Amino acid sequence: MATIDHNSWFDKGMTFAQYVEAMKVNREEVTRVYEGLTFSPEDLAVWNDVAKRSWRGIVLTADWCGDAALNVPVVQKIAEQSQIELRYLIRDDNLELMDQYLTNGTSRAIPIFIFIDEAGEMKAVWGPRSPEVQDLITGMRSQLPAKDAPDFEEKQKNVYRDFKQQITTDTAIWRTVIESVKAKLQG
């Protein structure tokens, strides 16, 4: 991976409030998850430990992304509890950075959360999904007809609509994200 000046990318990013204000698609879902999220005492103990590291974070995202509608508010709230300041960059406007953090080396899947120390050195990366959310979407996609089927596009739209609805309302799914991020931050 090429040397990345994470500090300059961080400086370029929006705050969470600015990101939400600019949203055109999933603002309601982001707000619902953010306002509905709660942490256990065990979570809070981990976030307090993470706070001692003086980390910051860069988030590659886009407001049309269903995964971002879940993960952005969850990780934002974790960051607030962990005293990690996050800055948001829109994926398609920042492909030079995005292409350094491809999922499986090929996919510009988002959101991606890049945690850095005060010097700008990358310490951890998380995203785009918890393993359980990946299993959920993989299972839902497996029910789709062949890509050349006449009803594929309509059925695919329905799958993604249902997926977004489920992940932004089911608190058990939110918990999988908390646990996955917690494991990454503790690692």
Side-chain angles (χ1 to χ4, degrees):
M1 191 181 295
T3 303
I4 301 168
D5 181 2
H6 288 103
N7 283 330
S8 66
W9 288 105
F10 177 87
D11 292 341
K12 185 178 167 182
M14 296 175 274
T15 65
F16 180 64
Q18 291 167 327
Y19 172 71
V20 171
E21 182 62 30
M23 290 184 83
K24 307 256 187 291
V25 183
N26 287 320
R27 186 185 305 184
E28 181 183 325
E29 290 82 358
V30 165
T31 302
R32 176 174 52 239
V33 174
Y34 182 83
E35 290 176 353
L37 193 68
T38 58
F39 295 126
S40 71
E42 295 80 14
D43 296 334
L44 295 172
V46 172
W47 312 150
N48 288 335
D49 186 51
V50 171
K52 298 172 188 164
R53 300 179 196 166
S54 302
W55 283 5
R56 295 175 295 147
I58 302 163
V59 183
L60 287 159
T61 190
D63 78 329
W64 49 259
C65 175
D67 286 298
L70 166 63
N71 296 326
V72 161
V74 171
V75 179
Q76 175 65 34
K77 207 134 188 196
I78 289 169
E80 290 168 8
Q81 290 292 321
S82 303
Q83 297 178 28
I84 297 173
E85 184 179 358
L86 295 180
R87 292 293 176 86
Y88 292 81
L89 295 170
I90 304 304
R91 180 194 69 181
D92 293 345
D93 297 337
N94 297 281
L95 294 177
E96 182 184 341
L97 181 60
M98 180 71 245
D99 288 347
Q100 302 300 314
Y101 292 97
L102 299 175
T103 300
N104 300 323
T106 58
S107 173
R108 289 177 173 160
I110 52 175
I112 297 293
F113 299 85
I114 307 159
F115 297 97
I116 59 175
D117 64 15
E118 290 173 310
E121 185 179 326
M122 190 266 294
K123 293 301 193 180
V125 177
W126 187 88
R129 297 183 174 121
S130 70
E132 295 84 356
V133 173
Q134 182 61 51
D135 290 347
L136 174 65
I137 192 61
T138 299
M140 292 173 86
R141 284 180 183 147
S142 73
Q143 305 300 309
L144 288 171
K147 285 192 176 183
D148 58 358
D151 61 347
F152 174 79
E153 278 191 31
E154 179 190 346
K155 291 211 187 285
Q156 184 182 44
K157 277 183 194 160
N158 292 339
V159 160
Y160 285 122
R161 183 199 64 228
D162 294 347
F163 172 71
K164 183 175 79 172
Q165 173 66 26
Q166 187 173 349
I167 67 172
T168 61
T169 57
D170 184 342
T171 58
I173 291 173
W174 303 358
R175 173 57 39 195
T176 73
V177 175
I178 293 167
E179 293 301 329
S180 181
V181 173
K182 188 191 304 180
K184 182 60 77 167
L185 293 177
Q186 287 178 304

